[in-house]
């Protein structure tokens, strides 16, 4: 092949990779690779920053149709607070204002579990007060000994379903999800 043909082929390859956006989080597998139509949800954290980054990685590896990225025009915003309980104010799919109560963490609850749980509300999941630790959305009902920050298969599948096709036309939610 000529140098010109090689340059054209490599340029086409790089363009294809850029358009598809094949960013992998964790080991390469179908479960962790975002779909070509993954919807990017931007987040910011003025508190619990390390936990927010870990929670984003957890959601990215659990639900390939959503890709959480720090920065941009953040639609999920995380703030620290003292009092009032940890809570999320969803404003639509992929949108929420989240408050993480330092008293919940001081009481022995896992900060990472709380942040991942509250982000789950921003990704369209409701609370499930069944007390089972393997359900991320059981929240505080699982007790302070529960350290699990991962959504189970049903929760991850629901988020993936909500974000299928890249964009949602769902009606914005106005529910408040407070730690109970």
């Amino acid at each position: 092949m000529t140098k010109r043909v090689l340059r054209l082929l490599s340029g086409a390859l790089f363009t294809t990779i850029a358009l598809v956006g094949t960013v992998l989080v964790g080991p390469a597998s179908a479960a962790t690779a975002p779909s070509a139509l993954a919807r990017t949800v931007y987040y910011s954290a003025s508190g619990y920053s390390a936990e927010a980054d870990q929670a984003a990685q957890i959601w990215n590896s659990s639900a390939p149709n959503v890709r959480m990225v720090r920065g941009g025009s953040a639609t999920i915003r995380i703030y620290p607070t003292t009092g009032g309980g940890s809570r999320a104010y969803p404003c639509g799919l992929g949108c929420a204002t989240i408050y993480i109560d330092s008293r919940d963490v001081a009481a022995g609850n896992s900060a990472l579990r709380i942040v991942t749980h509250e982000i789950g509300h921003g990704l369209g999941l409701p609370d499930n007060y069944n007390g089972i630790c393997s359900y991320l959305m059981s929240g505080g009902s699982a007790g302070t000994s529960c350290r699990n920050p991962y959504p189970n298969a049903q929760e991850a599948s629901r988020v993936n379903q909500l974000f299928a096709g890249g964009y949602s036309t769902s009606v914005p939610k106005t529910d408040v999800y407070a730690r109970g």
Side-chain angles (χ1 to χ4, degrees), residues 19-78:
L19 289 174
V20 171
T22 55
V23 176
L24 297 179
V25 178
S29 74
T32 60
S35 77
L37 297 176
R39 178 174 169 191
T40 300
V41 174
Y42 293 97
Y43 70 95
S44 65
S46 61
Y48 298 95
S49 185
E51 291 85 355
D53 292 341
Q54 285 180 276
Q57 289 176 3
I58 288 168
W59 281 112
N60 287 344
S61 66
S62 299
N65 286 338
V66 64
R67 184 172 64 106
M68 295 194 65
V69 176
R70 179 188 280 273
S73 296
T75 56
I76 292 183
R77 296 168 310 282
I78 303 165

Short mmCIF file of all heavy atoms in Angstrom, two decimals, residues 19-78:
data_model
loop_
_atom_site.label_atom_id
_atom_site.label_comp_id
_atom_site.label_asym_id
_atom_site.label_seq_id
_atom_site.Cartn_x
_atom_site.Cartn_y
_atom_site.Cartn_z
N LEU A 19 -15.92 8.81 16.85
CA LEU A 19 -17.38 8.88 16.73
C LEU A 19 -18.07 7.86 17.60
O LEU A 19 -19.11 8.12 18.19
CB LEU A 19 -17.80 8.69 15.27
CG LEU A 19 -17.48 9.84 14.34
CD1 LEU A 19 -17.82 9.46 12.90
CD2 LEU A 19 -18.23 11.09 14.75
N VAL A 20 -17.52 6.68 17.70
CA VAL A 20 -18.14 5.63 18.50
C VAL A 20 -17.94 5.91 19.98
O VAL A 20 -18.80 5.61 20.80
CB VAL A 20 -17.59 4.23 18.11
CG1 VAL A 20 -18.06 3.17 19.06
CG2 VAL A 20 -17.98 3.91 16.69
N GLY A 21 -16.82 6.52 20.35
CA GLY A 21 -16.58 6.86 21.75
C GLY A 21 -16.39 5.63 22.61
O GLY A 21 -17.03 5.49 23.65
N THR A 22 -15.54 4.75 22.19
CA THR A 22 -15.36 3.51 22.93
C THR A 22 -14.43 3.71 24.11
O THR A 22 -13.25 3.45 24.04
CB THR A 22 -14.80 2.40 22.02
OG1 THR A 22 -13.59 2.88 21.44
CG2 THR A 22 -15.78 2.01 20.95
N VAL A 23 -15.01 4.19 25.20
CA VAL A 23 -14.27 4.36 26.44
C VAL A 23 -14.67 3.22 27.35
O VAL A 23 -15.85 3.02 27.60
CB VAL A 23 -14.61 5.71 27.10
CG1 VAL A 23 -13.92 5.84 28.44
CG2 VAL A 23 -14.24 6.84 26.18
N LEU A 24 -13.70 2.48 27.84
CA LEU A 24 -14.01 1.36 28.73
C LEU A 24 -13.69 1.73 30.16
O LEU A 24 -12.70 2.38 30.43
CB LEU A 24 -13.20 0.12 28.33
CG LEU A 24 -13.48 -0.43 26.94
CD1 LEU A 24 -12.58 -1.63 26.68
CD2 LEU A 24 -14.93 -0.82 26.80
N VAL A 25 -14.55 1.31 31.05
CA VAL A 25 -14.31 1.48 32.47
C VAL A 25 -14.16 0.09 33.05
O VAL A 25 -15.08 -0.70 33.00
CB VAL A 25 -15.49 2.21 33.15
CG1 VAL A 25 -15.24 2.34 34.63
CG2 VAL A 25 -15.69 3.56 32.52
N GLY A 26 -13.00 -0.22 33.58
CA GLY A 26 -12.77 -1.55 34.12
C GLY A 26 -12.40 -2.51 33.01
O GLY A 26 -12.02 -2.11 31.91
N PRO A 27 -12.50 -3.81 33.27
CA PRO A 27 -12.13 -4.81 32.28
C PRO A 27 -13.01 -4.73 31.05
O PRO A 27 -14.19 -4.43 31.14
CB PRO A 27 -12.33 -6.14 33.00
CG PRO A 27 -12.77 -5.84 34.37
CD PRO A 27 -12.97 -4.38 34.51
N ALA A 28 -12.43 -5.00 29.90
CA ALA A 28 -13.19 -4.92 28.65
C ALA A 28 -14.17 -6.09 28.57
O ALA A 28 -13.79 -7.24 28.58
CB ALA A 28 -12.24 -4.97 27.45
N SER A 29 -15.44 -5.76 28.53
CA SER A 29 -16.49 -6.76 28.37
C SER A 29 -17.75 -6.06 27.91
O SER A 29 -17.86 -4.85 27.99
CB SER A 29 -16.76 -7.50 29.69
OG SER A 29 -17.46 -6.67 30.58
N ALA A 30 -18.71 -6.84 27.45
CA ALA A 30 -19.97 -6.26 26.99
C ALA A 30 -20.68 -5.55 28.13
O ALA A 30 -21.40 -4.58 27.92
CB ALA A 30 -20.86 -7.34 26.40
N ALA A 31 -20.49 -6.00 29.36
CA ALA A 31 -21.18 -5.41 30.50
C ALA A 31 -20.60 -4.06 30.88
O ALA A 31 -21.27 -3.25 31.49
CB ALA A 31 -21.10 -6.34 31.71
N THR A 32 -19.35 -3.79 30.52
CA THR A 32 -18.74 -2.54 30.96
C THR A 32 -18.53 -1.54 29.83
O THR A 32 -18.22 -0.40 30.09
CB THR A 32 -17.37 -2.80 31.63
OG1 THR A 32 -16.52 -3.44 30.70
CG2 THR A 32 -17.53 -3.62 32.89
N ALA A 33 -18.67 -1.95 28.58
CA ALA A 33 -18.47 -1.03 27.48
C ALA A 33 -19.75 -0.23 27.23
O ALA A 33 -20.81 -0.81 27.07
CB ALA A 33 -18.11 -1.81 26.22
N PRO A 34 -19.65 1.12 27.20
CA PRO A 34 -20.85 1.89 26.93
C PRO A 34 -21.33 1.66 25.51
O PRO A 34 -20.54 1.42 24.62
CB PRO A 34 -20.40 3.35 27.12
CG PRO A 34 -18.96 3.33 27.36
CD PRO A 34 -18.48 1.93 27.43
N SER A 35 -22.64 1.72 25.33
CA SER A 35 -23.16 1.57 23.97
C SER A 35 -22.76 2.79 23.16
O SER A 35 -22.42 3.83 23.70
CB SER A 35 -24.68 1.42 24.01
OG SER A 35 -25.28 2.67 24.23
N ALA A 36 -22.82 2.64 21.85
CA ALA A 36 -22.47 3.75 20.97
C ALA A 36 -23.40 4.93 21.20
O ALA A 36 -23.04 6.06 20.92
CB ALA A 36 -22.53 3.30 19.52
N LEU A 37 -24.59 4.67 21.71
CA LEU A 37 -25.56 5.73 21.95
C LEU A 37 -25.65 6.12 23.42
O LEU A 37 -26.63 6.71 23.84
CB LEU A 37 -26.94 5.29 21.45
CG LEU A 37 -27.05 5.03 19.95
CD1 LEU A 37 -28.44 4.51 19.60
CD2 LEU A 37 -26.73 6.26 19.15
N ALA A 38 -24.64 5.78 24.21
CA ALA A 38 -24.69 6.09 25.64
C ALA A 38 -24.91 7.59 25.84
O ALA A 38 -24.32 8.42 25.16
CB ALA A 38 -23.39 5.67 26.32
N ARG A 39 -25.78 7.89 26.78
CA ARG A 39 -26.06 9.28 27.10
C ARG A 39 -25.05 9.74 28.15
O ARG A 39 -24.89 9.10 29.19
CB ARG A 39 -27.47 9.44 27.64
CG ARG A 39 -27.78 10.87 28.04
CD ARG A 39 -29.22 11.02 28.43
NE ARG A 39 -29.42 12.32 29.03
CZ ARG A 39 -30.52 12.67 29.66
NH1 ARG A 39 -31.51 11.82 29.74
NH2 ARG A 39 -30.64 13.85 30.19
N THR A 40 -24.39 10.84 27.90
CA THR A 40 -23.43 11.39 28.85
C THR A 40 -24.18 12.25 29.84
O THR A 40 -24.96 13.13 29.45
CB THR A 40 -22.35 12.21 28.13
OG1 THR A 40 -21.66 11.35 27.22
CG2 THR A 40 -21.36 12.79 29.13
N VAL A 41 -23.95 11.97 31.12
CA VAL A 41 -24.53 12.75 32.20
C VAL A 41 -23.36 13.38 32.95
O VAL A 41 -22.49 12.68 33.45
CB VAL A 41 -25.36 11.87 33.16
CG1 VAL A 41 -25.83 12.67 34.36
CG2 VAL A 41 -26.54 11.25 32.42
N TYR A 42 -23.34 14.69 32.98
CA TYR A 42 -22.25 15.39 33.66
C TYR A 42 -22.62 15.63 35.12
O TYR A 42 -23.78 15.92 35.43
CB TYR A 42 -21.97 16.73 32.96
CG TYR A 42 -21.39 16.53 31.58
CD1 TYR A 42 -22.20 16.58 30.46
CD2 TYR A 42 -20.03 16.27 31.42
CE1 TYR A 42 -21.68 16.39 29.19
CE2 TYR A 42 -19.50 16.07 30.15
CZ TYR A 42 -20.32 16.14 29.05
OH TYR A 42 -19.80 15.93 27.80
N TYR A 43 -21.61 15.51 35.99
CA TYR A 43 -21.85 15.72 37.41
C TYR A 43 -20.77 16.61 38.00
O TYR A 43 -19.69 16.76 37.44
CB TYR A 43 -21.90 14.38 38.16
CG TYR A 43 -20.57 13.68 38.28
CD1 TYR A 43 -19.76 13.84 39.41
CD2 TYR A 43 -20.11 12.86 37.26
CE1 TYR A 43 -18.54 13.20 39.50
CE2 TYR A 43 -18.88 12.22 37.35
CZ TYR A 43 -18.10 12.39 38.48
OH TYR A 43 -16.88 11.76 38.58
N SER A 44 -21.11 17.21 39.13
CA SER A 44 -20.15 18.00 39.90
C SER A 44 -20.33 17.63 41.36
O SER A 44 -21.40 17.17 41.77
CB SER A 44 -20.37 19.50 39.69
OG SER A 44 -21.63 19.88 40.23
N ALA A 45 -19.28 17.82 42.13
CA ALA A 45 -19.34 17.52 43.56
C ALA A 45 -18.52 18.54 44.32
O ALA A 45 -17.31 18.62 44.15
CB ALA A 45 -18.81 16.11 43.83
N SER A 46 -19.19 19.33 45.14
CA SER A 46 -18.47 20.30 45.96
C SER A 46 -18.15 19.70 47.32
O SER A 46 -17.54 20.36 48.15
CB SER A 46 -19.25 21.60 46.09
OG SER A 46 -20.49 21.36 46.72
N GLY A 47 -18.56 18.49 47.54
CA GLY A 47 -18.24 17.73 48.73
C GLY A 47 -18.34 16.27 48.38
O GLY A 47 -18.97 15.91 47.39
N TYR A 48 -17.69 15.43 49.13
CA TYR A 48 -17.68 13.98 48.86
C TYR A 48 -17.23 13.72 47.42
O TYR A 48 -17.78 12.89 46.71
CB TYR A 48 -19.06 13.37 49.16
CG TYR A 48 -19.42 13.52 50.61
CD1 TYR A 48 -20.20 14.58 51.05
CD2 TYR A 48 -18.94 12.61 51.55
CE1 TYR A 48 -20.50 14.74 52.40
CE2 TYR A 48 -19.23 12.76 52.90
CZ TYR A 48 -20.01 13.83 53.31
OH TYR A 48 -20.29 13.99 54.64
N SER A 49 -16.20 14.45 47.02
CA SER A 49 -15.70 14.40 45.66
C SER A 49 -15.16 13.02 45.27
O SER A 49 -15.47 12.51 44.20
CB SER A 49 -14.61 15.46 45.51
OG SER A 49 -14.16 15.53 44.19
N ALA A 50 -14.34 12.42 46.14
CA ALA A 50 -13.78 11.10 45.83
C ALA A 50 -14.89 10.06 45.72
O ALA A 50 -14.87 9.21 44.82
CB ALA A 50 -12.76 10.68 46.89
N GLU A 51 -15.87 10.14 46.61
CA GLU A 51 -17.00 9.22 46.55
C GLU A 51 -17.82 9.43 45.29
O GLU A 51 -18.32 8.46 44.69
CB GLU A 51 -17.89 9.36 47.79
CG GLU A 51 -17.25 8.87 49.07
CD GLU A 51 -16.36 9.91 49.76
OE1 GLU A 51 -16.15 11.01 49.21
OE2 GLU A 51 -15.85 9.61 50.85
N ALA A 52 -17.99 10.68 44.87
CA ALA A 52 -18.73 10.97 43.64
C ALA A 52 -18.03 10.35 42.44
O ALA A 52 -18.69 9.76 41.57
CB ALA A 52 -18.90 12.47 43.46
N ASP A 53 -16.70 10.47 42.39
CA ASP A 53 -15.95 9.88 41.28
C ASP A 53 -16.08 8.35 41.28
O ASP A 53 -16.26 7.74 40.23
CB ASP A 53 -14.48 10.29 41.34
CG ASP A 53 -14.27 11.77 41.07
OD1 ASP A 53 -15.16 12.42 40.48
OD2 ASP A 53 -13.20 12.27 41.45
N GLN A 54 -15.99 7.74 42.46
CA GLN A 54 -16.14 6.28 42.56
C GLN A 54 -17.56 5.86 42.16
O GLN A 54 -17.74 4.87 41.47
CB GLN A 54 -15.85 5.80 43.98
CG GLN A 54 -14.38 5.79 44.35
CD GLN A 54 -14.22 5.30 45.77
OE1 GLN A 54 -14.35 6.07 46.71
NE2 GLN A 54 -13.96 4.02 45.92
N ALA A 55 -18.55 6.60 42.63
CA ALA A 55 -19.94 6.29 42.30
C ALA A 55 -20.17 6.39 40.79
O ALA A 55 -20.87 5.55 40.20
CB ALA A 55 -20.90 7.22 43.05
N ALA A 56 -19.59 7.40 40.15
CA ALA A 56 -19.71 7.53 38.69
C ALA A 56 -19.11 6.31 38.00
O ALA A 56 -19.70 5.77 37.06
CB ALA A 56 -19.04 8.81 38.21
N GLN A 57 -17.96 5.86 38.47
CA GLN A 57 -17.33 4.67 37.88
C GLN A 57 -18.22 3.44 38.07
O GLN A 57 -18.35 2.61 37.17
CB GLN A 57 -15.96 4.42 38.50
CG GLN A 57 -14.92 5.42 38.09
CD GLN A 57 -13.59 5.20 38.80
OE1 GLN A 57 -13.41 4.27 39.57
NE2 GLN A 57 -12.65 6.08 38.52
N ILE A 58 -18.83 3.33 39.24
CA ILE A 58 -19.73 2.21 39.51
C ILE A 58 -20.90 2.22 38.54
O ILE A 58 -21.24 1.20 37.93
CB ILE A 58 -20.22 2.23 40.97
CG1 ILE A 58 -19.07 1.83 41.90
CG2 ILE A 58 -21.43 1.32 41.17
CD1 ILE A 58 -19.33 2.08 43.38
N TRP A 59 -21.54 3.38 38.37
CA TRP A 59 -22.67 3.44 37.44
C TRP A 59 -22.21 3.22 36.00
O TRP A 59 -22.91 2.56 35.22
CB TRP A 59 -23.43 4.77 37.59
CG TRP A 59 -24.32 4.74 38.79
CD1 TRP A 59 -24.19 5.46 39.94
CD2 TRP A 59 -25.48 3.91 38.96
NE1 TRP A 59 -25.20 5.13 40.82
CE2 TRP A 59 -26.00 4.17 40.24
CE3 TRP A 59 -26.12 2.96 38.16
CZ2 TRP A 59 -27.14 3.54 40.73
CZ3 TRP A 59 -27.25 2.33 38.65
CH2 TRP A 59 -27.75 2.62 39.93
N ASN A 60 -21.05 3.75 35.63
CA ASN A 60 -20.54 3.55 34.26
C ASN A 60 -20.31 2.07 33.97
O ASN A 60 -20.56 1.60 32.87
CB ASN A 60 -19.24 4.33 34.05
CG ASN A 60 -19.47 5.81 33.91
OD1 ASN A 60 -20.58 6.27 33.70
ND2 ASN A 60 -18.41 6.58 34.07
N SER A 61 -19.82 1.33 34.96
CA SER A 61 -19.54 -0.09 34.73
C SER A 61 -20.80 -0.95 34.86
O SER A 61 -20.84 -2.06 34.35
CB SER A 61 -18.46 -0.59 35.68
OG SER A 61 -18.91 -0.55 37.02
N SER A 62 -21.83 -0.43 35.51
CA SER A 62 -23.06 -1.20 35.73
C SER A 62 -24.11 -0.99 34.65
O SER A 62 -24.88 -1.90 34.36
CB SER A 62 -23.67 -0.83 37.09
OG SER A 62 -22.79 -1.14 38.13
N ALA A 63 -24.18 0.20 34.10
CA ALA A 63 -25.23 0.55 33.13
C ALA A 63 -24.58 1.20 31.90
O ALA A 63 -24.38 2.41 31.87
CB ALA A 63 -26.25 1.48 33.78
N PRO A 64 -24.24 0.42 30.89
CA PRO A 64 -23.50 0.94 29.74
C PRO A 64 -24.24 1.99 28.90
O PRO A 64 -23.60 2.66 28.10
CB PRO A 64 -23.17 -0.30 28.91
CG PRO A 64 -23.97 -1.40 29.45
CD PRO A 64 -24.44 -1.02 30.82
N ASN A 65 -25.53 2.17 29.08
CA ASN A 65 -26.25 3.18 28.30
C ASN A 65 -26.13 4.58 28.88
O ASN A 65 -26.62 5.54 28.29
CB ASN A 65 -27.73 2.81 28.15
CG ASN A 65 -27.93 1.68 27.17
OD1 ASN A 65 -27.09 1.44 26.31
ND2 ASN A 65 -29.03 0.97 27.29
N VAL A 66 -25.51 4.69 30.06
CA VAL A 66 -25.26 6.00 30.66
C VAL A 66 -23.76 6.12 30.91
O VAL A 66 -23.10 5.15 31.27
CB VAL A 66 -26.08 6.22 31.95
CG1 VAL A 66 -25.68 5.26 33.04
CG2 VAL A 66 -25.96 7.66 32.44
N ARG A 67 -23.24 7.30 30.66
CA ARG A 67 -21.81 7.55 30.89
C ARG A 67 -21.71 8.81 31.73
O ARG A 67 -22.00 9.90 31.27
CB ARG A 67 -21.08 7.71 29.56
CG ARG A 67 -19.58 7.88 29.72
CD ARG A 67 -18.89 7.85 28.37
NE ARG A 67 -19.29 8.97 27.54
CZ ARG A 67 -18.51 10.03 27.29
NH1 ARG A 67 -17.30 10.10 27.77
NH2 ARG A 67 -18.95 11.00 26.53
N MET A 68 -21.30 8.63 32.98
CA MET A 68 -21.17 9.77 33.89
C MET A 68 -19.76 10.35 33.78
O MET A 68 -18.78 9.63 33.86
CB MET A 68 -21.47 9.34 35.32
CG MET A 68 -22.92 8.91 35.50
SD MET A 68 -23.38 8.79 37.22
CE MET A 68 -23.24 10.51 37.70
N VAL A 69 -19.71 11.68 33.62
CA VAL A 69 -18.45 12.38 33.44
C VAL A 69 -18.46 13.62 34.33
O VAL A 69 -19.44 14.38 34.34
CB VAL A 69 -18.26 12.81 31.96
CG1 VAL A 69 -17.00 13.64 31.78
CG2 VAL A 69 -18.25 11.59 31.05
N ARG A 70 -17.37 13.83 35.06
CA ARG A 70 -17.25 15.03 35.89
C ARG A 70 -17.03 16.24 35.00
O ARG A 70 -16.26 16.18 34.05
CB ARG A 70 -16.09 14.90 36.87
CG ARG A 70 -15.91 16.14 37.74
CD ARG A 70 -14.65 16.07 38.56
NE ARG A 70 -14.82 15.26 39.74
CZ ARG A 70 -15.28 15.71 40.90
NH1 ARG A 70 -15.63 16.97 41.03
NH2 ARG A 70 -15.40 14.91 41.94
N GLY A 71 -17.71 17.34 35.32
CA GLY A 71 -17.50 18.59 34.60
C GLY A 71 -18.64 18.92 33.66
O GLY A 71 -19.78 18.50 33.86
N GLY A 72 -18.31 19.66 32.63
CA GLY A 72 -19.32 20.06 31.66
C GLY A 72 -20.42 20.87 32.31
O GLY A 72 -20.24 21.49 33.36
N SER A 73 -21.56 20.86 31.72
CA SER A 73 -22.73 21.50 32.30
C SER A 73 -23.41 20.47 33.19
O SER A 73 -24.32 19.76 32.76
CB SER A 73 -23.70 21.98 31.21
OG SER A 73 -23.09 22.98 30.44
N ALA A 74 -22.94 20.37 34.42
CA ALA A 74 -23.38 19.33 35.34
C ALA A 74 -24.89 19.38 35.56
O ALA A 74 -25.45 20.42 35.89
CB ALA A 74 -22.65 19.43 36.67
N THR A 75 -25.53 18.23 35.37
CA THR A 75 -26.96 18.11 35.64
C THR A 75 -27.20 17.31 36.92
O THR A 75 -28.32 17.31 37.42
CB THR A 75 -27.70 17.46 34.46
OG1 THR A 75 -27.11 16.20 34.17
CG2 THR A 75 -27.66 18.36 33.23
N ILE A 76 -26.17 16.64 37.41
CA ILE A 76 -26.23 16.03 38.74
C ILE A 76 -25.20 16.77 39.57
O ILE A 76 -24.01 16.78 39.26
CB ILE A 76 -25.96 14.51 38.70
CG1 ILE A 76 -27.11 13.80 37.99
CG2 ILE A 76 -25.75 13.96 40.11
CD1 ILE A 76 -27.01 12.29 37.95
N ARG A 77 -25.69 17.44 40.62
CA ARG A 77 -24.83 18.25 41.46
C ARG A 77 -24.90 17.73 42.90
O ARG A 77 -25.99 17.52 43.43
CB ARG A 77 -25.27 19.72 41.40
CG ARG A 77 -25.11 20.29 40.00
CD ARG A 77 -25.79 21.64 39.81
NE ARG A 77 -27.18 21.75 40.24
CZ ARG A 77 -28.24 21.27 39.57
NH1 ARG A 77 -28.07 20.66 38.44
NH2 ARG A 77 -29.45 21.43 40.03
N ILE A 78 -23.73 17.52 43.50
CA ILE A 78 -23.65 16.93 44.83
C ILE A 78 -23.05 17.94 45.80
O ILE A 78 -21.99 18.51 45.54
CB ILE A 78 -22.79 15.64 44.80
CG1 ILE A 78 -23.41 14.65 43.79
CG2 ILE A 78 -22.66 15.02 46.19
CD1 ILE A 78 -22.50 13.52 43.41
#
